[in-house]
Amino acid sequence: MAAEAEARGAALPGFQPGTARTGRRPRIAVGLDSSGSIDDATLARFAAELDGVARRSRAETHLLAFDETVHTARAVGPGGWDAALRARPLRRGGGTAFGDVIARAVEIDASAAVILTDLDGAFGPAPRGLPVIWAVPGAPPAPPPFGRVLRLDR
C-alpha cells in the first residue's frame, strides 16, 4: 500500500493493513492410555483432561489413543473429544508401551506431548526436541526416565 502511494506520488497512508500471521499454531499430541491397567473411571478422567487441554491451550490438539501401539489418531477441537470417542469407542485392554505414541507425536511435529497414563509400561528412548508431560492419576510407581510428571490428583 505504501509502495503504491509512493509510486503515484501520493501521501503515504496513515494506516497500514496487518499481514497474516506466518507462525504456525502450536500442536499438542495427547496420548491416552487405554491399556488393561486403566479402569473405566480413570479413562473417563483422561478423556475429560483431553478436553481441558484442547480448550485451555487453543492449540491444534491430536488424540493418540494407545496401548502397545497407537490405535486411534485424530485431531480434536474443544468439546470434540466426547463425540469423537462415542463415534468410535477406544480399544481396551492389552499391555502398555510408550515408544509408538512418542514416535507418532514426533511424526506429527507436535510442540509437546501430554501422555495420560498410569506409567505402567515400557518407555523406550527419550525423544529429541519433544517435551513430554506424563499426566498420571496418582503417585507414580517410579519416576519415568524422561519428561516431567504432572499428578492429576493434586
Side-chain angles (χ1 to χ4, degrees):
M1 198 175 207
E4 291 171 6
E6 265 184 49
R8 290 191 323 261
L12 294 178
F15 169 76
Q16 293 287 329
T19 58
R21 280 179 55 180
T22 57
R24 74 175 178 103
R25 186 172 164 203
R27 182 176 297 139
I28 298 178
V30 178
L32 194 149
D33 184 346
S34 65
S35 68
S37 63
I38 304 297
D39 61 30
D40 290 341
T42 303
L43 187 64
R45 171 100 190 256
F46 286 172
E49 292 294 336
L50 166 65
D51 182 54
V53 169
R55 244 182 323 102
R56 288 188 303 264
S57 71
R58 294 193 174 123
E60 181 183 313
T61 306
H62 290 257
L63 165 64
L64 301 174
F66 70 100
D67 46 29
E68 294 171 309
T69 60
V70 172
H71 54 78
T72 302
R74 67 173 48 126
V76 293
W81 65 271
D82 192 33
L85 294 180
R86 265 189 273 128
R88 185 172 173 202
L90 299 177
R91 184 172 78 195
R92 301 293 307 276
T96 309
F98 302 108
D100 190 44
V101 70
I102 297 290
R104 292 288 287 274
V106 170
E107 277 178 29
I108 65 167
D109 194 26
S111 304
V114 177
I115 311 296
L116 298 157
T117 182
D118 58 3
L119 290 175
D120 184 14
F123 288 92
R128 294 170 60 149
L130 176 69
V132 176
I133 300 169
W134 304 98
V136 297
F146 58 88
R148 192 173 129 223
V149 174
L150 174 68
R151 286 184 55 179
L152 300 175
D153 63 346
R154 291 188 172 182

